[in-house]
Amino acid sequence: MCGVFGAYSPSDFVAEEVYLGLSALQHRGQESAGVAWIDNNRRVNTIKGMGLVHEALSQSVLAETPVRSAIGHVRYSTAGGSMLQNAQPICANYAQGPVAIAHNGNLTNFDELRGILENRGAIFQSTSDTEAILQLLAHQPKRSPFEALLRALAEVRGAYCLVVLLEEGLVAARDPWGFRPLSLGKRGDNYYVASESCAFSLLGASLVRDIAPGEVVLINGNGVTSYSLPIKSPKKWLCSFEYVYFARPDSVIEGRSVYGTRQEMGRKLAMSWGASGADFVASFPDSGTTAALGYAQASGMPFKAAVVRNRYVGRTFIQPTQKVRELGVRIKLNPCPELFRDRSAVLVDDSIVRGTTAGLVVSMVRECKARSLHLRISSPPIKYPCFYGIDTPSSGDLAAAKCDEDDMARTVGADSLHYLSKEGMIEAIGLPPDSLCTACFDGEYLEGAKSFNHPPGCCGGIFD
Ligand code: 5GP
Ligand code: SF4
Ligand code: MG
């Protein structure tokens, strides 16, 4: 999972705004950050680094960079390792001019495309799937960069939200299935593109609309021009997990407030699995808090902020090993003993992946001598891996792939454990079921669906 941001202004310098936009998208990726722009000599420039936005980039340097269009990226690796080489935007000065690309998502036909391109002489500089798009572009040297990009995108499959910088303008593109969110924002004559609308508020910009699945938007002195990719998919595949966990609650995706959908998930969970006789509801902060508030509201129980989060340690998944991951949860979350002692509590979290967080929090609360503990999860069990840009482990490491609710309750040490149903989650999101991806919950992948009738990797006719 990653965050992308782009800015275009007819009059203002925007590099610092890209920095600020990336800071608002920091939750989408903490491994590396980068900003790219095109200079007066028609060369693409980039600043990239490992770590958080403020560690990787210099705000003061960007504030003094006099450019009217720039793009940026925060990375959380799914395809390709965590190293500076794979940090984005990825950039090139090729036969037709400068190009910079920032990508959120995962291409599912990358291996095939890479094979075809290497047979044509391409030398890949990174292990990132995004490079395939750049190579496809560069292998069409007689076409304008924008036309070459449109043709390249007709060849790639899977999940992508892109911001691309060309001499022709700032480009935003969303795959025909609409896996990841991408929004268009505006302030005066300035345009912004961001993975999530929460990045606009910081800049005093407002959300205009979502970029539609299969839409490519070109922003330049002529304003905003919209193009459609040739691939049409009757079913859309917007990631339901964005609403469950990934997006920030102050974002609006497809007209649905993430905060509102999470609260509704909690309400529905309480309506199905209210724990009678508990004294209060608490959450695994921060990710479970909005759903816990909804749960408390619907069940009539008070909400208590009884598990405290250390704000200064990052998201647990960032740590690579199981040992460090487990330590990370202990460093991050700690219960208030006096609130739990001799009390019965409902604990709400948004999801169980490996089961590490739930197991450790329950055991810490047990040490506080709680009378009973009821775990409620505001998403369905995650049983299948994601191939569309979220770093869930393979089925073997997904706790829910191996056990039902009772087994899971025993494993993590809770007196009861229940999940929100898939139907409940979809109702809470409030979008039609055929507009959402739920593959990690039900195993129904795009590649197995009837709407995926476009064989990957043909590249017929795009090379001259
Ligand atoms: P577990 O400890 O079961 O492996 O992971 C569950 C916890 O991780 C939950 O509290 C949830 O909020 C969080 N989580 C779920 N999916 C992801 C993800 O893709 N990345 C990160 N960093 N955390 C996640
Ligand atoms: Fe989102 Fe799950 Fe689909 Fe991946 S498989 S895109 S995490 S809903
Ligand atoms: Mg969490």
Side-chain angles (χ1 to χ4, degrees):
M1 177 60 60
C2 301
V4 296
F5 191 87
Y8 172 86
S9 171
S11 49
D12 305 336
F13 295 144
V14 297
E16 189 183 11
E17 291 196 318
V18 173
Y19 177 97
L20 295 171
L22 291 179
S23 311
L25 299 174
Q26 186 79 80
H27 61 290
R28 298 185 70 87
Q30 302 88 17
E31 286 183 15
S32 64
V35 175
W37 64 91
I38 296 171
D39 67 20
N40 291 334
N41 300 320
R42 302 185 58 207
R43 306 293 292 176
V44 65
N45 285 251
T46 175
I47 305 181
K48 294 186 221 182
M50 300 303 289
L52 301 176
V53 172
H54 74 272
E55 296 165 324
L57 306 171
S58 162
Q59 184 184 353
S60 50
V61 167
L62 289 167
E64 283 162 18
T65 303
V67 288
R68 296 197 166 81
S69 188
I71 63 169
H73 187 267
V74 284
R75 180 158 196 264
Y76 176 80
S77 65
T78 47
S82 172
M83 53 186 107
L84 190 56
Q85 227 174 1
N86 284 337
Q88 296 196 19
I90 57 168
C91 304
N93 297 290
Y94 81 111
Q96 283 284 4
V99 49
I101 302 181
H103 171 205
N104 171 208
N106 237 28
L107 306 184
T108 48
N109 65 337
F110 169 57
D111 290 343
E112 199 161 351
L113 289 173
R114 185 177 174 140
I116 293 169
L117 286 158
E118 283 180 340
N119 280 331
R120 296 184 62 86
I123 298 168
F124 277 76
Q125 305 284 328
S126 72
T127 52
S128 147
D129 56 346
T130 313
E131 199 183 336
I133 300 173
L134 189 65
Q135 296 278 4
L136 281 170
L137 204 81
H139 276 74
Q140 305 172 72
K142 293 189 186 139
R143 296 199 174 94
S144 75
F146 184 64
E147 197 199 336
L149 176 66
L150 289 179
R151 287 180 176 248
L153 294 182
E155 303 304 326
V156 298
R157 302 290 179 264
Y160 59 86
C161 278
L162 303 175
V163 289
V164 182
L165 207 53
L166 305 171
E167 281 185 299
E168 289 136 298
L170 171 68
V171 183
R174 192 160 169 219
D175 68 66
W177 303 281
F179 280 102
R180 301 275 147 237
L182 191 63
S183 304
L184 180 68
K186 193 174 192 304
R187 189 192 67 227
D189 294 332
N190 294 4
Y191 283 98
Y192 303 93
V193 180
S195 290
E196 286 180 45
S197 62
C198 66
F200 300 145
S201 324
L202 187 64
L203 305 174
S206 41
L207 170 66
V208 176
R209 63 179 177 85
D210 291 7
I211 306 288
E215 183 181 9
V216 180
V217 158
L218 176 63
I219 304 168
N220 55 25
N222 300 325
V224 177
T225 317
S226 173
Y227 299 79
S228 292
L229 290 172
I231 300 169
K232 308 283 173 234
S233 170
K235 176 180 164 19
K236 299 297 177 236
W237 294 77
L238 174 60
C239 171
S240 50
F241 206 61
E242 292 275 354
Y243 291 102
V244 168
Y245 168 77
F246 224 90
R248 240 169 68 162
D250 51 339
S251 288
V252 173
I253 304 173
E254 205 63 42
R256 310 287 301 146
S257 138
V258 174
Y259 185 97
T261 59
R262 270 181 210 167
Q263 200 176 31
E264 191 56 24
M265 287 170 199
R267 278 196 210 107
K268 289 196 179 300
L269 192 56
M271 287 188 279
S272 312
W273 301 110
S276 54
D279 297 302
F280 65 91
V281 180
S283 72
F284 290 42
D286 293 325
S287 59
T289 301
T290 318
L293 288 167
Y295 192 104
Q297 195 184 51
S299 65
M301 279 186 259
F303 171 81
K304 293 195 183 185
V307 179
V308 177
R309 175 167 181 201
N310 178 340
R311 285 172 205 278
Y312 304 98
V313 287
R315 286 189 170 192
T316 325
F317 267 44
I318 298 314
Q319 330 289 343
T321 63
Q322 182 69 10
K323 189 175 171 65
V324 176
R325 213 178 278 126
E326 287 180 16
L327 249 187
V329 177
R330 275 189 188 273
I331 295 166
K332 199 168 85 167
L333 299 176
N334 197 43
C336 295
E338 62 281 12
L339 293 180
F340 284 105
R341 191 172 304 122
D342 298 328
R343 292 277 176 273
S344 170
V346 172
L347 279 172
V348 180
D349 200 4
D350 62 282
S351 57
I352 290 182
V353 184
R354 291 180 171 87
T356 317
T357 309
L360 282 169
V361 172
V362 170
S363 75
M364 287 192 284
V365 175
R366 290 271 182 225
E367 285 165 20
C368 304
K369 312 241 176 319
R371 207 172 60 237
S372 61
L373 277 181
H374 304 277
L375 220 55
R376 298 292 180 266
I377 307 298
S378 62
S379 65
I382 301 174
K383 296 184 176 176
Y384 305 91
C386 174
F387 302 118
Y388 311 119
I390 287 191
D391 186 26
T392 45
S394 57
S395 285
D397 291 326
L398 287 170
K402 291 172 281 197
C403 51
D404 64 14
E405 288 184 335
D406 289 345
D407 293 336
M408 186 71 90
R410 268 190 296 278
T411 309
V412 301
D415 294 291
S416 74
L417 184 149
H418 292 289
Y419 297 94
L420 180 64
S421 66
K422 185 177 99 178
E423 293 68 29
M425 177 186 73
I426 292 172
E427 277 171 33
I429 294 172
L431 295 173
D434 69 355
S435 61
L436 291 168
C437 176
T438 48
C440 52
F441 306 116
D442 58 19
E444 288 178 21
Y445 292 104
L446 166 67
E447 291 72 14
K450 286 203 183 76
S451 62
F452 193 75
N453 54 3
H454 307 281
C458 44
C459 293
I462 81 157
F463 302 125
D464 297 315

